[in-house]
Structures are given as C-alpha cells and as structure tokens.
Amino acid sequence: MKLTIFAATGGVGRLLLDQAVAAGHEVTAVARNPGAALPGAARVVTADLSTAPAATLGDAVAGADAVLSALGARSRAEAGIAWRGTRAIVQAMRATGTRRLVVVSAAPVGTVPSPDRPRPPRHDPGDGVFMRNLFAPLVKSVLREHYADLARMEDVLRASDLDWTVVRPPRLTDRPLTGTYREAYGRNVRAGWSIPRADVAHCLLRALERPETVGRTIGIAT
C-alpha cells in the first residue's frame, strides 16, 4: 500500500514507520524535524502542521491509500498540536480525495468533554471500579491539557466525511512488540493498564486491513 505517516519521528510514529517499511509499503514520512535517520526506503517531507502550506500537505497525502497519524503533544506548551494538526491533515485529504485515516488518541479521552461532546459519559464502560474512581480521575487531572487536545482531535474526525479510525491506548511503554494485545470497540480494555508503543503501531497498520474499524474507536492494551 501507499501510506503517509505524520509525526513519523515520534515514539509511536517511528515504530510505525519502521514496521510499514519492513512490511513492504511505499511510505511518505512527514515530520517537523526529520533530523533522525529515517529508513532509506521512505520518502521524507518536512512540515510543521501549524504553518505548512496547503500545497505541501496536499503533496504528502496525494495518491495515498491511507494516512496514519501519531500526532500528540509532548508537553503542556504543545497542547493543541493534535487537533490543529489533524484539522490540517483532514483538509489536505479532502482536497486530494484521500479517504482513509487512522490516528492515535488515548484511553481516557472517551470521558473527556470537548466542544462537540460537552457532556461525554462519566465513565468508560470498559473501566473497572479502581480505574473509574481513582486512577482515571488522577491521570485526567495531571494530563488535562493533553486529553482536551485529543478529545478535540476526535471532534475533527467525527465532523469529517473521511473513513477514520481512532486507536486509544493506555500508558505507553518501550517494551518490544508482542502482537498479542487485546482490543475493544467503543470502550477501553478491562484492566488494561499499559501497552508497548510497538504494539500501538502494529494496531494502526492492522486497522488498514479491517474495514469494520472505519468510524470506530478501538481500545487496546496488553
């Protein structure tokens, strides 16, 4: 397949890029600072999604069978990059007729208010008592800006007419790929505390082979 990967030098993005190239896909890697060594098989596009000209993004996604995004803020100062960047990606895809988009979000986001969902469910149906009453509220308090950014990113997707899929992992680790993670549609995975970044990348690529994931959120965890 011909794929375009955004945030291709980040924690999940770089693993996604490596796995896509290893699988034989034709890949365009888009990154703000692609200084890190990237696979020679990948075409590299340098673009800051907050300032990149529409023509640059259009060129990056034109002709792609699918677009994958690992956008996410690395600090509070970067909060907003996920929804604004995804909005720019969606606009470029609409302009070029590219339809399939798979993105990374986060497990708590289903219960985070956003402009289009000001009253989300209080609890995720996949969360147990401890997660609902102690851990989730604590994490959402600490990472409030990050999750608000991702919740608004999901608004952008739902408002689009694209064939999107959202993958919502819990805490990310640097453990090796297992390929044996659990999934749950429309909810978090029960007792799902963490997952390797490599497995998140694997799930993103695997979603491209499953038409039933279109228009769905997928909770994943080991």
Side-chain angles (χ1 to χ4, degrees):
M1 298 177 69
K2 186 175 181 180
L3 307 178
T4 300
I5 298 175
F6 284 87
T9 58
V12 172
R14 179 53 196 265
L15 293 166
L16 177 59
L17 175 59
D18 289 343
Q19 291 180 23
V21 170
H25 297 296
E26 181 183 345
V27 183
T28 294
V30 185
R32 180 170 50 185
N33 298 303
L38 297 177
R43 170 189 175 224
V44 179
V45 174
T46 301
D48 183 333
L49 291 177
S50 63
T51 60
T56 299
L57 299 184
D59 179 63
V61 304
D65 296 303
V67 175
L68 303 103
S69 173
L71 279 174
R74 292 170 295 183
S75 66
R76 288 186 177 182
E78 287 189 348
I81 190 173
W83 82 263
R84 293 188 180 95
T86 301
R87 181 179 60 182
I89 292 169
V90 166
Q91 291 171 345
M93 292 178 67
R94 282 174 169 167
T96 58
T98 307
R99 295 202 50 79
R100 189 70 172 105
L101 176 60
V102 183
V103 307
V104 178
S105 184
V109 170
T111 58
V112 173
S114 66
D116 289 351
R117 294 176 75 239
R119 295 179 180 85
R122 183 177 179 185
H123 302 297
D124 188 282
D127 289 344
V129 174
F130 178 77
M131 179 68 79
R132 291 183 178 188
N133 297 318
L134 183 61
F135 189 74
L138 176 62
V139 170
K140 285 194 289 186
S141 175
V142 173
L143 298 174
R144 182 171 53 252
E145 293 88 350
H146 295 74
Y147 293 145
D149 182 16
L150 293 173
R152 195 165 181 181
M153 175 193 73
E154 293 191 14
D155 283 350
V156 170
L157 297 175
R158 284 189 293 267
S160 76
D161 58 354
L162 301 181
D163 298 329
W164 55 266
T165 299
V166 172
V167 175
R168 291 177 176 167
R171 183 176 63 88
L172 300 175
T173 74
D174 291 322
R175 292 180 178 273
L177 173 71
T178 70
T180 58
Y181 48 87
R182 297 174 291 152
E183 298 179 341
Y185 285 96
R187 63 177 62 198
N188 292 335
V189 173
R190 182 60 60 96
W193 298 100
S194 66
I195 189 168
R197 289 178 173 84
D199 279 328
V200 176
H202 184 273
C203 182
L204 292 170
L205 282 174
R206 186 166 172 257
L208 300 179
E209 303 169 357
R210 298 186 293 168
E212 69 271 18
T213 66
V214 172
R216 308 287 295 276
T217 61
I218 307 174
I220 57 172
T222 51

